[in-house]
Amino acid sequence: GLALFALVVLSLASLVAIQYRDELQHAHERHELLARVLEDHTTRTLDSAAMGMAAVAGMIVAGEPASSAGVLRAMQQTLVNQMQLRSLSLMDAKGRVLAAAGEQPSGDVNLDALAPLPEQSQPLLGRVRWGRGLPMRTGEAPVPAGLVTLPFVQRVAAPGGSALYLVGLLNPDY
């Protein structure tokens, strides 16, 4: 009787251990799949924003004046096509806004708050920033909890050699 009871308990313990191991394996596989899906979504989001920004930058590199109506239209169209972008602003190396689509910054942008800035034309994803707007030199208004944005900055080599910065503010909730 005691041997039979021990055999039943051992069998149940083995069954529970096997089911537990299988559940852990299935949970691990689900987490791996979720990680791949999130990585793919993030890559597509950043690549698509980079392509839109490259189109605007290409106009400027080709000689279109930074504050022209054509550049502004291209920026506005990029915002329409790139739902993950909250705004798109073009500024000089001192932070003076030359053109903006979406949010209209008032004053000069504090580029130091967006550091590090890219040294090449490849866009660089910045650190998470509290708020939904660009950091201004005049200071920032208090931000309600939970409002964040990600700056996506591209250096643009304007004709004449001056450096401009195209800043897209990404909505991390997208």
Side-chain angles (χ1 to χ4, degrees), residues 151-169:
F152 199 41
V153 185
Q154 180 173 351
R155 182 183 173 112
V156 180
S162 63
L164 303 177
Y165 293 97
L166 187 58
V167 180
L169 293 182

Side-chain angles (χ1 to χ4, degrees), residues 14-81:
S14 296
L15 181 62
V16 167
I18 290 170
Q19 286 180 337
Y20 179 72
R21 186 193 70 213
D22 289 347
E23 278 301 313
L24 281 179
Q25 182 178 352
H26 289 276
H28 183 71
E29 289 169 359
R30 283 191 304 270
H31 290 135
E32 284 180 341
L33 176 61
L34 180 60
R36 284 194 305 271
V37 167
L38 289 174
E39 179 183 20
D40 184 58
H41 178 72
T42 302
T43 300
R44 287 179 189 214
T45 298
L46 293 176
D47 285 350
S48 119
M51 286 191 313
M53 291 170 63
V56 173
M59 292 176 69
I60 296 164
V61 170
E64 183 81 23
S67 57
S68 72
V71 168
L72 181 58
R73 275 193 307 276
M75 290 171 69
Q76 290 167 337
Q77 190 60 44
T78 299
L79 278 187
V80 168
N81 294 329

Side-chain angles (χ1 to χ4, degrees), residues 122-151:
Q122 188 70 22
L124 182 65
L125 186 62
R127 295 182 302 250
V128 171
R129 288 197 30 78
W130 292 105
R132 291 195 173 171
L134 290 166
M136 306 309 291
R137 289 206 184 277
T138 57
E140 300 181 52
V143 177
L147 296 182
V148 296
T149 192
L150 286 165

